[in-house]
Amino acid sequence: MKVIFAGTPEFAAVALQSLHQAGFDIPLVLTQPDRPAGRGLQLQPSAVKQYAVKHGIEVLQPLSLRMDSKDPQRAAEAQAAHARLLSTDYDVMVVAAYGLILPRATLDIKPCLNIHGSVLPRWRGAAPIHRAIETGDAETGITIMQMEEGLDTGPMLLIERTPIGPQDSTATLHDKLAAMGGHMIVKVLRKMEQGVVEAVPQPEEGVTYAAKIAKEEAALDFSQSARDIGRKIRAFNPFPGAHAAVNGTTIKLWGAELLEQNSGAAPGQVLAADATHGIVVACGNGTLRLTELQKPGGKRLPAAEFIKGFPLDGLRFA
């Protein structure tokens, strides 16, 4: 089969690598335009573009695929991209975390399959991994679905599940699911080649939506339960990074362990900050042991190292 691939971040690059290494002919890759990144704000290519360029695969980077855009530049680039798709000999488009909407005109050219990071219909939308952890789901997975105009509403071709561990963060779960997605899309395309793949409609019950993560969500409120705060810390690692202020300084919190007992202290109060007990903080219900922290301009450090340069005894997170 000849496969056009559309994707942008590392999650998608893993799938592209799997398809390429499996021997599929990939005549064209679509990815988002280069973005400024780093302290110098130099333009940086996406992870998908880096892989494609390294392996000699043609790359197309339109600002939009919507030919009816009111922005003349976006409309022109979309028209050019549409013409390029029409002139390309391919059998299927595979989409993974592309970040651009595929309009009906694109979906109508050839079948479009999506690698989605949840067990649909749960967590349709932009941030399924984050929301599954934040909500406390016991498991998640990957769904390979056939795309249609609705938001992640298309029929399902393959589902695989994986448990969410008590210390899984978005970073660790992302890597597990990326590997699963790469394996699964190869499996589905092999079945398509043999004509044995079956599309199953999504259930009407159990639909939830994973809204895009807003940076302001990462500000922690220690009046919430220790369980909920711990989930947020894991869900927002690596982006946008959960944080709370102590003594006027905003500290990012990258890891925590749940301690069930209630202390009776005010939420956010540091109950211990030493090598023996670690950094223990009171919450609205229960307590947390913070395991990895970062001060402004500093590195992410284990708790024992962090308190050497930033004592927390007697302080309170707000």
Side-chain angles (χ1 to χ4, degrees):
M1 296 185 76
K2 294 182 179 180
V3 181
I4 286 182
F5 186 85
T8 299
E10 185 61 34
F11 181 89
V14 173
L16 175 59
Q17 179 179 356
S18 296
L19 292 169
H20 183 248
Q21 292 182 345
F24 287 99
D25 184 354
I26 305 173
L28 182 65
V29 160
L30 302 180
T31 191
Q32 288 207 43
D34 298 358
R35 305 292 189 195
R39 293 187 176 180
L41 295 180
Q42 298 294 316
L43 288 178
Q44 297 292 329
S46 71
V48 163
K49 180 179 179 179
Q50 292 179 49
Y51 185 90
V53 170
K54 181 178 179 180
H55 294 88
I57 304 171
E58 183 182 350
V59 176
L60 196 62
Q61 296 177 271
L63 287 168
S64 173
L65 293 175
R66 299 183 68 93
M67 292 182 286
D68 59 353
S69 174
K70 294 181 180 180
D71 182 316
Q73 182 181 357
R74 290 176 179 270
E77 291 197 16
Q79 290 166 4
H82 185 69
R84 183 70 180 84
L85 292 175
L86 289 174
S87 67
T88 301
D89 179 19
Y90 72 103
D91 301 295
V92 63
M93 179 184 289
V94 171
V95 182
Y98 180 27
L100 295 183
I101 295 174
L102 269 62
R104 167 57 59 187
T106 301
L107 298 173
D108 283 346
I109 299 174
K110 293 289 175 68
C112 297
L113 307 186
N114 180 244
I115 305 171
H116 186 75
S118 78
V119 178
L120 290 170
R122 186 159 178 79
W123 301 130
R124 294 173 178 172
I129 302 176
H130 299 77
R131 300 306 182 190
I133 294 175
E134 182 186 17
T135 306
D137 289 1
E139 67 172 12
T140 186
I142 291 287
T143 303
I144 308 296
M145 54 166 273
Q146 186 164 334
M147 297 181 70
E148 54 185 32
E149 282 190 287
L151 178 63
D152 300 326
T153 58
M156 305 177 294
L157 306 179
L158 183 64
I159 291 175
E160 290 186 8
R161 293 173 167 82
T162 187
I164 300 177
Q167 290 302 316
D168 263 327
S169 65
T170 292
T172 61
L173 197 54
H174 167 281
D175 292 349
K176 293 178 187 178
L177 293 178
M180 283 177 61
H183 166 76
M184 290 169 64
I185 192 61
V186 170
K187 183 187 296 187
V188 166
L189 292 183
R190 293 297 187 214
K191 288 184 177 182
M192 288 182 69
E193 288 178 325
Q194 299 164 12
V196 296
V197 68
E198 180 183 2
V200 178
Q202 292 185 34
E204 294 182 2
E205 297 183 354
V207 175
T208 58
Y209 290 92
K212 185 178 179 179
I213 301 297
K215 288 186 177 181
E216 52 267 25
E217 292 184 68
L220 297 178
D221 176 2
F222 277 89
S223 68
Q224 296 182 337
S225 72
R227 187 176 300 276
D228 288 346
I229 296 169
R231 288 171 179 168
K232 288 179 182 291
I233 290 172
R234 293 186 290 117
F236 300 147
N237 176 359
F239 176 85
H243 58 84
V246 59
N247 236 16
T249 301
T250 298
I251 304 297
K252 286 201 170 184
L253 309 177
W254 297 109
E257 297 173 353
L258 181 64
L259 304 175
E260 294 290 354
Q261 69 269 24
N262 287 312
S263 66
Q269 183 66 46
V270 177
L271 304 174
D274 54 56
T276 301
H277 302 94
I279 301 172
V280 180
V281 182
C283 303
N285 182 25
T287 55
L288 280 178
R289 177 180 287 115
L290 305 180
T291 58
E292 188 177 12
L293 305 89
Q294 182 181 16
K295 65 182 179 181
K299 298 179 180 179
R300 294 170 57 157
L301 295 173
E305 293 298 315
F306 182 84
I307 57 178
K308 290 179 181 178
F310 199 107
L312 290 170
D313 295 288
L315 299 182
R316 182 182 174 187
F317 283 95

